[in-house]
Amino acid sequence: MTARVLIVDDVPANLKLLDAKLTSEYFDVLKASSGPEALEVAQEQQPDIILLDVMMPGMDGFEVCRRLKAMPETEHIPVVMVTALDQPKDRVQGLEAGADDFLTKPLNDLALFARVKSLVRLKMVTDELRMREATGQRIGALSSNGGDNFLMKEPGRILVIDDRPTSLKRITETLSSEHMLTVAESQDELLELANQGSFDLLIVSLTLQEYDGLRLCSQLRALEATRQTPILAIVEEGDTARLVRALDMGVNDYLVRPMERNELVARARSQLRRKRYQDYLRDKFQQGLELAITDGLTGLYNRRYMEGHLSTLVADGIKTGKPVALLIFDIDYFKPVNDTYGHAAGDAVLKQFGERLAQNVRGIDLACRLGGEEFVVVMPDTDLAFAMAVAERLRQCIAMRPFTIDDAGKTLDITVSIGIAVTGGALDSASKLLERADQGLYRAKRDGRNRVVAEAA
């Protein structure tokens, strides 16, 4: 894995040493020798990760980190603070400033490279989600209004496994006042709970007596339910080999025994914040995707989605020899509804019409609103006889039950005309199918409305 790494240190020898180490591992290295320069380079060059010295004259690393996390252009770049300071309060100060990790000099090369690669992988996920959000905003499917629902407004749901009683007690006492903790007594119980529950953070000891902690982390990463859930591992001081393997397999963060309470709180909070931000982006993208392919009034799929889906079905049907039926609906005399009773009444009719369509077709069928008062149902693996029977049933479903058009309960009788076409032959296409169904609809309208007419291939 390669990445753009910004290293920040006011000592030229330190810059040169880190540059050589990272370049030998094929990282693209950027350098800055002061806090202000680091902020400028980070904004202009957009590195994938920043290795930031703490002890610098003028603007120290803590202040640089706070400013990086306060700027929209750089707030999502992982920051690793690199320093000779090794007191717990220093690590906590760095984490509270927004740093993702705190490495102590002299650096262990294996741990450094593993941490850089791990954080770069996480950033790639976030970058992809942010890119999707930006695309959604450009096409109008997403609002540009931000949200802070991914921050620490709600307690996190944390699942823990640690077979050392004193260590487990420290975790539960430290985090239970702020979050909801569940303790697993065994590996099987942890996997079962993780697979069933919606947890925000998993805390796993890598030194379990009866189980392989690394294998357990690997299994958690393989489960669909926990693939994106952050894992906070607990390791022994000096156990670099185990830590490197854990980071390599996707563990997000770690704590070294003996755990310091404030550091535990800070690391848990950092992972929960990242998880909630990614969940927020995923949910927002999903909402935007739904808005892009569905009709806002009826909740049915829109024409854009229908055309793509229909093309795929017709192409597959030609290969397999299975017919595809298309039903086009046009509500009879819909304009007088709007003109006489108002657009609110017309919208009520359209919404109820969409509901009746959705309730009376199969799960494999696709109900869509083409626009205005026109609707479509696409039916895979359906011959003409079955399509005619479904269309007739839908016609009766519309005609036999009046539509409610206002809060007072006023109703209107509504009917619908339906045109049908079914694929026929290797030279057929989605556009030809739509055209034939539309011709059937035209004939149904011409012949008196409230009827079903099929157009042969």
Side-chain angles (χ1 to χ4, degrees):
M1 173 185 292
T2 186
R4 288 162 61 81
V5 183
L6 170 60
I7 53 177
V8 186
D9 200 311
D10 64 307
V11 179
N14 292 343
L15 278 178
K16 187 175 181 180
L17 179 61
L18 260 181
D19 185 6
K21 286 183 176 184
L22 291 165
T23 302
S24 70
E25 291 293 315
Y26 303 102
F27 290 104
D28 182 12
V29 178
L30 305 168
K31 290 176 282 190
S33 56
S34 69
E37 184 184 0
L39 295 173
E40 183 179 344
V41 173
Q43 281 184 291
E44 291 180 357
Q45 300 296 326
Q46 291 292 299
D48 296 303
I49 189 169
I50 299 172
L51 301 182
L52 176 62
D53 185 40
V54 172
M55 305 300 291
M56 293 187 295
M59 187 187 299
D60 67 15
F62 296 126
E63 179 60 23
V64 174
C65 187
R66 278 189 286 269
R67 295 195 185 192
L68 286 167
K69 296 300 179 179
M71 295 188 295
E73 305 93 333
T74 57
E75 62 178 333
H76 305 297
I77 301 174
V79 175
V80 177
M81 308 200 82
V82 182
T83 180
L85 300 174
D86 61 357
Q87 294 301 306
K89 64 180 180 64
D90 299 315
R91 292 197 298 272
V92 172
Q93 185 178 354
L95 293 168
E96 289 179 344
D100 294 85
D101 205 352
F102 197 99
L103 298 181
T104 305
K105 297 176 182 177
L107 296 176
N108 178 292
D109 290 356
L110 282 176
L112 169 65
F113 298 142
R115 198 66 183 114
V116 168
K117 290 174 183 177
S118 172
L119 287 170
V120 168
R121 281 195 298 267
L122 287 171
K123 182 176 181 289
M124 288 171 64
V125 173
T126 304
D127 284 349
E128 173 65 21
L129 293 171
R130 293 179 70 217
M131 184 178 69
R132 291 179 184 180
E133 182 189 32
T135 301
Q137 290 177 8
R138 283 196 299 272
I139 66 174
L142 288 178
S143 167
S144 60
N145 294 329
D148 59 355
N149 54 327
F150 51 87
L151 299 177
M152 307 306 294
K153 288 188 171 182
E154 299 293 333
R157 297 191 64 217
I158 302 175
L159 180 59
V160 183
I161 184 168
D162 190 343
D163 55 10
R164 297 191 187 182
T166 54
S167 177
L168 182 60
K169 183 179 179 182
R170 172 164 290 205
I171 293 171
T172 54
E173 287 180 351
T174 302
L175 298 179
S176 58
S177 61
E178 190 175 347
H179 307 291
M180 296 182 293
L181 264 69
T182 301
V183 176
E185 301 293 337
S186 68
Q187 173 178 289
D188 291 342
E189 184 183 3
L190 180 89
L191 292 172
E192 182 179 353
L193 288 168
N195 200 34
Q196 293 175 355
S198 179
F199 290 97
D200 301 308
L201 177 64
L202 308 168
I203 299 180
V204 179
S205 170
L206 298 185
T207 55
L208 299 168
Q209 294 298 311
E210 297 185 17
Y211 313 103
D212 184 340
L214 285 172
R215 185 172 298 280
L216 183 52
C217 290
S218 174
Q219 289 173 305
L220 289 168
R221 276 290 164 261
L223 285 175
E224 182 66 30
T226 55
R227 193 162 292 160
Q228 305 295 337
T229 308
I231 300 175
L232 178 59
I234 303 169
V235 297
E236 295 294 332
E237 187 171 7
D239 195 354
T240 303
R242 198 190 303 258
L243 173 59
V244 167
R245 292 196 66 184
L247 292 171
D248 234 14
M249 69 175 54
V251 165
N252 301 73
D253 203 356
Y254 61 92
L255 277 162
V256 178
R257 299 187 200 273
M259 289 177 288
E260 201 277 329
R261 292 180 186 272
N262 291 327
E263 185 176 356
L264 171 60
V265 169
R267 289 192 185 275
R269 189 175 293 158
S270 175
Q271 292 306 315
L272 288 168
R273 185 178 290 110
R274 184 189 295 275
K275 165 74 159 51
R276 288 179 177 180
Y277 179 65
Q278 290 187 350
D279 286 348
Y280 163 78
L281 289 176
R282 286 191 181 94
D283 291 345
K284 199 172 180 185
F285 176 73
Q286 185 61 35
Q287 292 167 11
L289 184 63
E290 290 173 1
L291 286 173
I293 65 175
T294 57
D295 172 59
L297 178 63
T298 64
L300 301 179
Y301 287 104
N302 60 20
R303 181 172 195 139
R304 177 192 298 173
Y305 183 82
M306 183 276 296
E307 288 177 342
H309 185 74
L310 180 62
S311 295
T312 301
L313 283 178
V314 170
D316 289 346
I318 290 172
K319 291 178 184 176
T320 61
K322 295 179 179 179
V324 177
L326 181 72
L327 284 58
I328 293 188
F329 303 73
D330 189 281
I331 299 174
D332 296 328
Y333 304 110
F334 183 73
K335 188 174 183 301
V337 174
N338 278 332
D339 292 346
T340 305
Y341 302 100
H343 287 281
D347 286 350
V349 169
L350 292 171
K351 190 173 181 180
Q352 291 169 66
F353 189 93
E355 289 170 355
R356 294 192 197 183
L357 276 191
Q359 291 166 3
N360 286 277
V361 296
R362 303 168 300 180
I364 63 170
D365 300 331
L366 187 78
C368 314
R369 183 184 175 197
L370 277 189
E373 65 271 27
E374 283 196 328
F375 293 77
V376 161
V377 171
V378 181
M379 305 180 71
D381 196 9
T382 302
D383 60 21
L384 181 59
F386 188 79
M388 287 287 290
V390 171
E392 182 58 30
R393 188 181 77 241
L394 286 167
R395 186 195 65 78
Q396 293 179 21
C397 173
I398 299 301
M400 292 174 64
R401 183 155 50 99
F403 285 64
T404 303
I405 62 170
D406 61 24
D407 293 339
K410 182 177 180 58
T411 61
L412 283 179
D413 290 328
I414 297 293
T415 62
V416 65
S417 300
I418 307 172
I420 299 179
V422 177
T423 52
L427 298 179
D428 213 346
S429 66
S431 60
K432 291 177 181 177
L433 189 65
L434 271 166
E435 184 179 345
R436 291 200 304 275
D438 202 46
Q439 290 170 355
L441 175 62
Y442 173 78
R443 286 173 51 202
K445 289 282 192 182
R446 185 195 62 191
D447 294 345
R449 294 181 169 82
N450 189 24
R451 65 192 63 226
V452 179
V453 173
E455 189 72 20

